[in-house]
Amino acid sequence: TLPSLAGPLDESGNPTDNPILSMLETICITWFTLEYILRFAGAPKKCDFLKDAMNIVDVLAILPFFISLAVLESTPEGEGQEGFNDIRKIVSVFRIMRIMRIFKLARHST
């Protein structure tokens, strides 16, 4: 990542998320989630909607955010460093999956 976009360091000296970029991400995910729910609610054939490839991409694009949020919120504050490192690795995998958002945005540009 670019050092100018990195967030402040935590007490261990590890970089944290940039609060402005985190807020922007939350706004975008909220928008994408609302859009998906509204399109699902308006779909005449719900099963066909769920099976459509682009709708699967939409779910795969927004799901990592909510899984990361659930994992981080369910982690006890006093948990040892080993457990936190494992959770950090899991969250990193879900963050990598966020590349699916590019496909979602590309769909709207055509």
Side-chain angles (χ1 to χ4, degrees):
T1 63
L2 297 172
S4 61
L5 295 178
L9 300 177
D10 64 4
E11 42 294 325
S12 303
N14 297 323
T16 60
D17 290 336
N18 184 321
I20 295 171
L21 294 178
S22 294
M23 181 59 69
L24 180 62
E25 177 187 28
T26 303
I27 291 168
C28 289
I29 289 294
T30 303
W31 181 265
F32 290 156
T33 304
L34 179 64
E35 177 207 9
Y36 184 82
I37 290 170
L38 290 174
R39 285 189 298 118
F40 178 74
K45 298 180 181 178
K46 308 283 192 233
C47 193
D48 290 342
F49 178 86
L50 294 174
K51 292 179 184 176
D52 183 59
M54 290 309 290
N55 292 327
I56 292 171
V57 168
D58 289 348
V59 169
L60 291 176
I62 61 176
L63 198 58
F65 177 81
F66 292 110
I67 292 174
S68 299
L69 187 64
V71 167
L72 291 175
E73 289 297 321
S74 66
T75 305
E77 285 292 324
E79 187 171 298
Q81 187 66 24
E82 304 84 32
F84 185 72
N85 285 335
D86 292 339
I87 291 172
R88 188 179 295 249
K89 289 177 188 176
I90 293 169
V91 170
S92 295
V93 169
F94 286 115
R95 286 186 174 177
I96 291 169
M97 287 179 56
R98 291 179 183 165
I99 194 70
M100 293 294 194
R101 289 187 197 145
I102 293 173
F103 294 119
K104 178 171 177 45
L105 291 173
R107 181 178 98 176
H108 294 293
S109 68
T110 58

